[in-house]
Amino acid sequence: MEYILIFVSAAFVNNIVLSQFLGICPFLGVSQKVETAGGMALAVTFVMTIATIVTFLVQTYVLNVFGLGFLQTIMFIIVIASLVQMLEIMLKKISPALYQALGVYLPLITTNCAVLGVAILVIQKEYHLFQSIVFAISTAIGFGLALIIFAGIREQLSMTRLPETMCGTPIALITAGLLAMAFMGFSGIV
C-alpha cells in the first residue's frame, strides 16, 4: 500500500511539472508534437530512474560516510551529466536505432532540473532504495503524462484559429495553467 501511495502522490498529486514547477523548459519546449513528447517522456523515465539509483548510492555510501553532504548538489549534477554522456556513448555503439530515437532528447535531459530535483527529493524524504526507485519511476510517469497531454492539447490548438495575440507562448501558458488546475483535482486522493 505504501508504494501505491508513493506512485499516486508522485505521478498525480504532486506532479513534478504542474505542482512543483520542475522541468518546465522541456515541458514547454518539447511539447509541440505528441511524438516528440513521448520520446522525451521515455528518455526522462530511463535517465531519472538510473540517476536516482546512482545518486542515492553516492549519497548513502560516499557523501554520508565521509561527511561530505555539503557537496550533494555538485556531485548529483556531475553524476547526472556523466550518466547521460555514458548512456549516449553506449546507445551509439550498442543500439544505433535506439540512439537515433533518443539521441535528440538525451542532451536535453542533462539540463532537465526535474532529474536533479527527484534525486534531491529522494534524499530529503529519507526513502530507502526501493522507495526511491518507485518514486523516480512514478515521478517520470507523471512528467510524461503531463507532457503528452499538454502536447496533445497544443496539437489541437495549432489547428484552431486563435486571436493573433494569443498564439504561441500565451496560449501555451494558459493551457499549462488549466492542466495544472486539472491535476489539482487529484489532491484529495492522498
Side-chain angles (χ1 to χ4, degrees), residues 141-154:
I141 288 170
F143 174 81
L145 182 66
L147 186 65
I148 291 169
I149 291 171
F150 187 58
I153 294 171
R154 288 187 75 181

Side-chain angles (χ1 to χ4, degrees), residues 11-80:
F12 301 110
V13 178
N14 297 318
N15 188 285
I16 195 87
V17 175
L18 302 174
S19 176
Q20 298 177 23
F21 307 114
L22 293 173
I24 296 292
C25 293
F27 182 71
L28 292 174
V30 188
S31 60
Q32 299 292 335
K33 295 185 177 190
V34 174
E35 288 179 33
T36 56
M40 183 66 169
L42 287 174
V44 165
T45 302
F46 185 71
V47 171
M48 192 177 285
T49 304
I50 292 175
T52 300
I53 293 168
V54 173
T55 55
F56 178 87
L57 295 173
V58 166
Q59 178 73 35
T60 304
Y61 297 110
V62 177
L63 298 179
N64 289 349
V65 170
F66 295 109
L68 299 172
F70 61 92
L71 293 175
Q72 180 188 56
T73 305
I74 294 170
M75 287 298 294
F76 285 10
I77 290 170
I78 291 169
V79 166
I80 291 167

Side-chain angles (χ1 to χ4, degrees), residues 14 35 37 46 53 64 78 81 88 131 133 151 166 173 175 178 187 189:
N14 297 318
E35 288 179 33
F46 185 71
I53 293 168
N64 289 349
I78 291 169
E88 192 170 359
Q131 288 174 322
I133 294 168
M166 293 298 291
L173 293 175
T175 305
L178 292 171
S187 62
I189 293 176

Side-chain angles (χ1 to χ4, degrees), residues 153-175:
I153 294 171
R154 288 187 75 181
E155 276 188 3
Q156 286 298 112
L157 284 172
S158 70
M159 294 185 277
T160 61
R161 286 179 34 114
L162 296 170
E164 192 173 316
T165 56
M166 293 298 291
C167 291
T169 305
I171 195 66
L173 293 175
I174 290 170
T175 305

Side-chain angles (χ1 to χ4, degrees), residues 77-116:
I77 290 170
I78 291 169
V79 166
I80 291 167
S82 301
L83 280 172
V84 171
Q85 289 300 320
M86 286 190 301
L87 180 66
E88 192 170 359
I89 291 168
M90 287 174 24
L91 283 178
K92 196 173 193 178
K93 290 186 183 243
I94 295 171
S95 177
L98 186 59
Y99 173 75
Q100 288 297 324
L102 296 178
V104 177
Y105 307 110
L106 287 174
L108 291 174
I109 295 170
T110 305
T111 58
N112 188 347
C113 60
V115 177
L116 177 62

